[in-house]
Amino acid sequence: VHQYMERAEYLANLSANQKHSKLSSQCPQQKSFEQIQFVLSQALTEDENGKQFNALPLYTDVVESCLKMCKETSDEHIKSKCNQWAKMAVERAELIKNSKADVLTSKQDVLTKTTFGNLMNSQKSFNKKKLSPSEIETLRLTSYVNGNVYHPMLDIDINEQFAYKIPFTDPNGLLTLAPKQQSRFISWVRPSDICENPQMIFAVSSLSIKQTIVSDCSFVASLAISAAYERQFQRKLITSIIFPQQKDGTPFINPCGKYMVKLHFNGVARKVIIDDLLPMGKDGQLLCSFSQNCNEFWVSLLEKAYMKVMGGYDFPGSNSNIDLNALTGWIPERASLKSKDISFDVLFDRMLNGLEKGDVLITAATGVMSDAEADRAGLVPTHAYAVLNLKKVQGKRLCLLKNPWSHLRWKGNYSDSDTVNWTLSLENALGYNREKAAQNDNGVFWINWESVLRFYDVIYMNWNPKLFTYKYTLHAGWNAVEGPIKDAYNIGDNPQYRLEVDSDSDDAIIWILLTRHITNRDDFADNKEFITIHVYKSNGRRVYYPDGKYLEGTKINSPHYLAKLKVGSGRSQFTIVVSQYEKLNTIYYSLKVFSNMKFTIGPVPEIYSSKKKITMSWTKQSAGGSLNSPSYENNPKILLELISNTASNLLIKIETSRKYFAGVELRSVDSSYRKNSGEYRCGFVAFTIENVPPGNYLIIPATFLQGQEGSFFSRSSSFVCNEIEYKIIIKSENCKLFK
């Protein structure tokens, strides 16, 4: 019933909708009149909120614009209104000017209190601490995206100036058009050029959203599912991110042409400023996505804001996980429908439960198909579809999907052309009329779950973060020179975080989201950075070897990677390791943790207070082989003197070529104390020894095979002995000095 009421409303709007067929005949004086009215409204709002420093220049603009309008118009009604508004503006401006200086708060003082350096953690729901200097620097560096600056959005940004004497034009310039747009383009137009009474929102509906020639199906599908959510649950979701807004949070058309959109990317919510210039085609149709509701523009403006961040309408492509996260901030999760590790029965039930409660937004994406297969199925290859509904009815699992093109529908089981599977009782149970639906192709269709599993590749889910009581986020960078290019044998230099959890349930799960920051279009279009996170149950200590994972991540070239950690009951300590395949560039990232249990998280502490790096060599004479080799004693020996009053904890690391298996022994000079690193390891050894008494020791690095020559590589400067090098790193805890 709900769907048919929405459909009836949509058809009524469509029948009266001619907004994109020709330009508006609204006269320039009427536009200027509405603009003056808006500026006066903004001035009064600022004045009522005690922000007279903002209101004063707006009142001045109103007076100047009203005087100019009175000279240019012969309309007595307009003259009377302008005189009335000018008088009001002059009176308020004079009161402000004559008020005591200490009553007014200077704009500079307010801005000083809200500088970037005082920015609280990206979202108040995460944690109350101020950002560290390194986190601020990370967010600052990744504010520069595709040549423009997008600062984190602060509370004060709702006071952005939206009123101007002349229509606002984005100082960053016009957006780059896609090739298909360029071939049809005639001019840039504003909403007031298209229709006489433009509205921001007429009726939020997924059915009204239409994609045109911009290749952003995943984004349009994300808009559709967000609109469906907002309509069904009567909660502002997608419309709440557009400014200016009325006092109830509803966005409205700004006759001055400036808008601010709140989008989530590169770790935080950021503000995106746009004008209202939209691309018009030679046929009088908009060359961007639009709403088919009469005179409604929220779809086009949201798309423009997102396309600006992405570098223009020539969109490089995305997926709905990324797009929905940008629009809502909800947690992205990806499920491959070709995976052998997923229970698709459980997946359907999870999604069904989440949709019914309003906790999840879902889209589905097809994979590569032949033209013949796509035509038989009525589907578009590598295309995103909004999942509007899921139902379990009469033993069947059905999905209601929408093609963002607003036409071209599924032709298989439970489509509107299927006369075999549909029954009258099933139609009644779903509130669906197959015969009526078949009369108009709006891109919306039912499909059974089994067909989804066959014809679709991926399900994208974005979950409401309010599902979790406790949240934490941090921002960091990982320098390209830190650690090896591939971390297949050494992860000791990877970013690592200690997670401690107190749980009273055996089924407790923590969600950990890793997000890589992207700052240019080429990186987004051809993402070669594969990231993931691994989790080790190592009492929160630094991990050096990649094996022994408690939870192993999968490296993907998406900006987002979500891991779900089952912690069990009691107190547990884990080490979270950020991992990347072939690290060639410095990356910046955000790590967010979601839980319904209390937890603490922070970087794994550096416990070693003293450190020494040495570069030496194995030669034919000194490559003595392993402990079992008769020539073992020929191996190089480094004399270590521990000068301390107490026992020390040591870390000895050996780094060499992966061609060699290496190990190390720590032996006292008198041989009364002997410990070794155990199994010989490929290319890298990390040997930790606790409670080593003060005294003189020998460090003996060895390769597994006798006579094996090889190089140990160091990032630090050190001396070189002979022709073949190796590096040894010694760290000590509780030992203030060693030689």
Side-chain angles (χ1 to χ4, degrees), residues 204-228:
V204 177
S205 169
S206 62
L207 299 177
S208 67
I209 300 170
K210 182 175 177 60
Q211 181 188 1
T212 56
I213 58 175
V214 180
S215 301
D216 59 349
C217 62
S218 65
F219 178 75
V220 179
S222 299
L223 285 182
I225 195 60
S226 300

Side-chain angles (χ1 to χ4, degrees), residues 306-317:
Y306 195 58
M307 293 302 103
K308 179 180 178 180
V309 175
M310 291 297 170
Y313 282 111
D314 190 12
F315 190 50

Side-chain angles (χ1 to χ4, degrees), residues 242-293:
I242 311 171
F243 299 84
Q245 296 179 349
Q246 298 172 358
K247 290 184 177 180
D248 66 353
T250 301
F252 58 91
I253 286 291
N254 177 7
C256 299
K258 179 179 178 180
Y259 296 93
M260 178 173 67
V261 177
K262 176 183 176 181
L263 294 177
H264 301 258
F265 59 96
N266 288 355
V268 292
R270 297 177 182 269
K271 64 175 183 177
V272 181
I273 301 296
I274 58 169
D275 58 33
D276 60 355
L277 290 168
L278 301 172
M280 178 65 74
K282 297 174 183 178
D283 59 355
Q285 298 287 320
L286 282 176
L287 299 176
C288 59
S289 299
F290 60 85
S291 169
Q292 297 177 97
N293 283 339

